Amino acid sequence: MYKKAGYPKLIIDLNKLRTNVEKVQNMCEDKGVELAGVIKGCSGLIPCAQQFERAGCAYIASSRLEQLQPLREHGIQLPLMMLRVPMLSEVEDVVEICDYSLNSDLDVLKALNVQARIQDKKHNVILMADCGDLREGFWDKDEMVDVAEMVEKEMRNLHLAGVGVNVGCYGSVMATPEKLQELVDIAERIEERIGRELEIISGGATSSLMRVVDDNLPERVNMLRVGEGILLNYDLPHLYGYEMEGMYDDAFRVRAEIIEVRDKPSHPVGEIGFDAFGHRIQYEDRGIRRRALVGIGKCDYGDPDELICCEPGAEILGASSDHTILDVQDVKRNLRVGDIIEFGIKYATLVYLTNSPNIEKVYI
Ligand SMILES: *Cc1c(COP(=O)(O)O)cnc(C)c1O
C-alpha cells in the first residue's frame, strides 16, 4: 500500500506568525486603525487563521469563500470579510458566510440585498473606489456617491459600512498619503449625501502599512487589510527597506529531500530545443559541477525563482514539474541522497505550497 512519504514538508512556526500579527496589530491600534487579517496568502490554513484571531485582529478576511466558510466550525468568532468583489453566482453564499463584503457593482449589490432579505440578515458592504491601481472599484466617483445613496436609502437589508481602496496589487500604485486622502475625500462626499458618518474607511493592504510605520496615514483611515506583511514580512523590509523590528520573515519554510547527487556538465549535452514548459532557456557553461536533485517541483511551488535556498553555497539552477536542480559545488557539508534542503518562500510560492495537498504541513 502507498505510504505517504514525509517530504516535502512545509514548516509553519505558529509562534512567529502570531508574533507578526501582534506587532502589526499593535502598530495599527496605536494609530486608531482596525486590522483585518488576510488569510488568502496561506490558503486559509485554519491554524494560521487562529493566530490572527488570538493576536487580536478585528476581522478575518479572504478573497475566497471556500477559505472563509470553514472558519466558524473551527471556533473563529470574528466577523468575516469577503475581499474579492462577489460574483453574481456566489451572492447567496457571501450573505450566508460573510458579515462584510467589498463591492463595486450595482447589480451585485441589488442581488446581495435580495439574498439578505431571503436570509433575514443585514449584510455589511464596503464600496470600493478605484484610485488608479485599475483593479476593482468605482472609477467614476459621482457614480460611486449615487450608488452609496441607493444602498443607504433603498437596500434595506444592506448596511453601508464604509468605503475602501486597493492599491499596489495590479497597477503597482503606491499608497501615498495623497492617494489615501482621495479615499477620505470620497467618504466625506458620501457622508454629506447620506447625512451620517461612515464607520469604516479601509485604506488598503500591506502596502498601506508603510503609512502606519511612517505615521502619515490620513487621519480618518481607520482600517487596513493585511496579509503578506504579516505572513511573510518580506515586501516592507526587503523591497522598501523598512526595519520591521521584532518581526519574523521565516514563519514559513519548506523542506525537501535530495534524491540524487552527481558531478555533471553544467551545459546540457545535445541539440537544444524547449524545456518542459515550452520555454527556451539559456544555460551557462561552468564546466563539470556537483549537482543535487531534490524531490519538489513547479507543481508544488510554481516558480523556482520565488524560492530562497537556505543551504549555504547552494544555488537553484532550475526546475521541472516534480524536480528542483541545485548547484551544490560550493556547499561545505558532504551532501548525500536522503539529506534535507530547506528553502525560504515568497508570496507566490507560499500560496502554491499552502494550497497543495501533496505538501505535508508541520506546525511548530
Ligand atoms: C489580497 C488583498 C488584501 C491583502 O493584501 P496583502 O498584500 O496580502 O496585504 C487586501 N485587500 C484586498 C481587496 C485584497 O484582495
Side-chain angles (χ1 to χ4, degrees):
M1 208 181 86
Y2 172 62
K3 193 158 152 290
K4 193 179 178 308
Y7 289 91
K9 286 188 211 282
L10 184 67
I11 313 295
I12 305 171
D13 189 323
L14 293 177
N15 286 322
K16 288 184 177 174
L17 177 58
R18 196 175 58 255
T19 301
N20 283 0
V21 192
E22 281 164 0
K23 292 280 175 193
V24 172
Q25 163 67 26
N26 291 340
M27 265 188 260
C28 288
E29 199 172 300
D30 286 349
K31 301 288 183 312
V33 172
E34 283 191 316
L35 182 62
V38 177
I39 59 169
K40 69 188 188 205
C42 59
S43 303
L45 290 173
I46 302 288
C48 297
Q50 287 168 337
Q51 305 314 311
F52 283 86
E53 180 164 71
R54 278 175 205 161
C57 286
Y59 308 81
I60 299 274
S62 177
S63 50
R64 288 172 186 267
L65 286 173
E66 67 266 27
Q67 294 173 6
L68 295 169
Q69 191 273 329
L71 296 180
R72 288 273 179 263
E73 67 193 59
H74 286 91
I76 288 181
Q77 300 187 347
L78 290 178
L80 302 181
M81 181 183 292
M82 176 66 170
L83 293 176
R84 183 168 62 193
V85 292
M87 303 176 212
L88 264 185
S89 60
E90 66 186 0
V91 292
E92 182 177 349
D93 291 328
V94 168
V95 171
E96 191 168 316
I97 296 166
C98 308
D99 305 285
Y100 288 78
S101 61
L102 309 185
N103 285 277
S104 66
D105 186 273
L106 182 56
D107 289 333
V108 172
L109 287 161
K110 286 177 180 166
L112 284 169
N113 185 47
V114 169
Q115 265 306 321
R117 185 160 61 233
I118 291 169
Q119 295 183 33
D120 195 21
K121 281 185 175 169
K122 195 111 179 169
H123 180 73
N124 299 292
V125 297
I126 294 174
L127 298 189
M128 295 298 279
D130 189 334
C131 292
D133 202 61
L134 307 183
R135 203 178 70 180
E136 76 277 40
F138 290 92
W139 185 251
D140 179 342
K141 304 311 176 302
D142 296 332
E143 181 196 357
M144 182 164 170
V145 176
D146 290 343
V147 170
E149 186 180 18
M150 272 187 254
V151 172
E152 177 77 2
K153 297 197 173 147
E154 296 165 25
M155 303 192 194
R156 296 188 44 204
N157 289 74
L158 298 186
H159 172 62
L160 179 64
V163 295
V165 71
N166 203 66
V167 290
C169 272
Y170 168 73
S172 315
V173 168
M174 297 280 293
T176 58
E178 298 73 34
K179 220 5 114 189
L180 299 183
Q181 185 59 42
E182 286 178 30
L183 177 68
V184 175
D185 293 344
I186 296 163
E188 290 177 347
R189 279 187 62 192
I190 291 174
E191 290 174 335
E192 199 166 312
R193 181 77 72 86
I194 64 176
R196 68 168 176 92
E197 250 194 35
L198 295 170
E199 298 108 70
I200 295 175
I201 301 185
S202 185
T206 294
S207 58
S208 300
L209 208 49
M210 292 188 259
R211 299 290 71 80
V212 173
V213 181
D214 293 343
D215 197 14
N216 58 3
L217 190 71
E219 176 82 26
R220 287 208 55 200
V221 174
N222 61 4
M223 181 211 282
L224 295 183
R225 313 172 304 266
V226 180
E228 191 283 326
I230 289 169
L231 295 166
L232 291 180
N233 183 37
Y234 182 86
D235 290 3
L236 262 56
H238 298 285
L239 302 183
Y240 292 101
Y242 280 80
E243 254 180 65
M244 303 303 283
E245 223 188 285
M247 291 186 63
Y248 297 97
D249 58 8
D250 60 352
F252 295 84
R253 283 282 170 90
V254 66
R255 291 183 187 155
E257 183 172 336
I258 296 184
I259 52 180
E260 185 188 294
V261 185
R262 280 215 172 82
D263 291 345
K264 293 187 185 181
S266 43
H267 195 278
V269 180
E271 232 177 286
I272 305 297
F274 297 90
D275 78 352
F277 287 75
H279 298 131
R280 274 205 187 276
I281 311 284
Q282 295 291 335
Y283 302 92
E284 189 191 349
D285 190 351
R286 303 163 72 191
I288 303 284
R289 305 276 297 179
R290 174 145 298 201
R291 298 155 78 86
L293 205 56
V294 292
I296 187 170
K298 289 185 181 175
C299 290
D300 302 300
Y301 56 68
D303 181 357
D305 288 340
E306 302 284 308
L307 279 183
I308 305 154
C309 188
C310 302
E311 184 71 29
E315 185 191 333
I316 299 170
L317 293 173
S320 59
S321 303
D322 313 300
H323 304 75
T324 303
I325 305 160
L326 309 178
D327 182 305
V328 296
Q329 179 80 26
D330 300 328
V331 173
K332 292 283 185 298
R333 69 173 171 141
N334 182 24
L335 289 178
R336 289 187 305 193
V337 164
D339 286 347
I340 303 304
I341 302 282
E342 189 167 90
F343 300 90
I345 52 202
K346 300 191 194 175
Y347 193 78
T349 31
L350 179 65
V351 171
Y352 285 110
L353 287 164
T354 48
N355 213 17
S356 168
N358 303 321
I359 305 285
E360 190 191 347
K361 282 93 188 167
V362 180
Y363 298 98
I364 60 172

